[in-house]
Amino acid sequence: MNIRDFAEFTLGYFSSITLTDIEEFVLNGRPTLNNKMVKEWLEELEENRYFYSDDTLELIEKQFVSDLGGMEIWVGDKKFQDSVLDGFKRYFEDNSYFLEMFTVAYLKGLEEEGLR
């Protein structure tokens, strides 16, 4: 395994943990046991994102957007969609790079699926 393979494996693992935490928070109003670790990891990425290469940020975004498709949030009910968007706001707090990324990906996915 080379360093790139290891990085992709690690990113996939953290993405899975992160999306599980987000999904639990958005759908049930409570974070998982991993929430503190996830929040610290996201804060590290947020604070230092300008130090990462564009390739790295694209890889992170691609992984998150891909994993977002597995969440149980793809419902045609507008009220439910609004509650998911509000859940993203509560989870990521207002002025977050990740809030924008997840919101845009979710709305785009809803449109592509004909759900919005």
Side-chain angles (χ1 to χ4, degrees):
M1 176 182 286
N2 63 35
I3 192 69
R4 180 73 175 188
D5 293 338
F6 181 73
E8 288 178 5
F9 166 78
T10 303
L11 177 58
Y13 179 70
F14 270 98
S15 179
S16 175
I17 291 170
T18 302
L19 272 285
T20 299
D21 192 60
I22 294 168
E23 182 175 33
E24 184 68 23
F25 185 86
V26 168
L27 296 179
N28 300 315
R30 61 183 184 278
T32 66
L33 295 174
N34 296 316
N35 181 259
K36 183 177 180 190
M37 177 187 63
V38 168
K39 289 287 194 168
E40 288 173 359
W41 187 66
L42 290 172
E43 284 175 19
E44 173 70 24
L45 288 173
E46 174 86 28
E47 291 172 4
N48 297 298
R49 74 176 190 264
Y50 298 107
F51 297 112
Y52 293 106
S53 70
D54 290 342
D55 289 347
T56 300
L57 291 174
E58 286 174 18
L59 183 64
I60 292 168
E61 186 170 335
K62 182 179 175 183
Q63 185 70 50
F64 278 152
V65 170
S66 173
D67 291 350
L68 184 67
M71 292 175 66
E72 295 182 21
I73 57 174
W74 304 100
V75 177
D77 181 313
K78 174 113 170 62
K79 186 176 179 180
F80 179 81
Q81 294 170 4
D82 290 342
S83 74
V84 169
L85 293 169
D86 287 340
F88 286 161
K89 287 178 187 173
R90 286 190 318 276
Y91 187 87
F92 291 111
E93 301 170 4
D94 284 324
N95 297 312
S96 167
Y97 165 76
F98 293 106
L99 171 60
E100 181 179 342
M101 182 182 72
F102 275 83
T103 299
V104 167
Y106 181 57
L107 291 172
K108 182 178 178 184
L110 289 170
E111 287 178 16
E112 288 174 356
E113 295 295 319
L115 298 171
R116 188 157 176 115

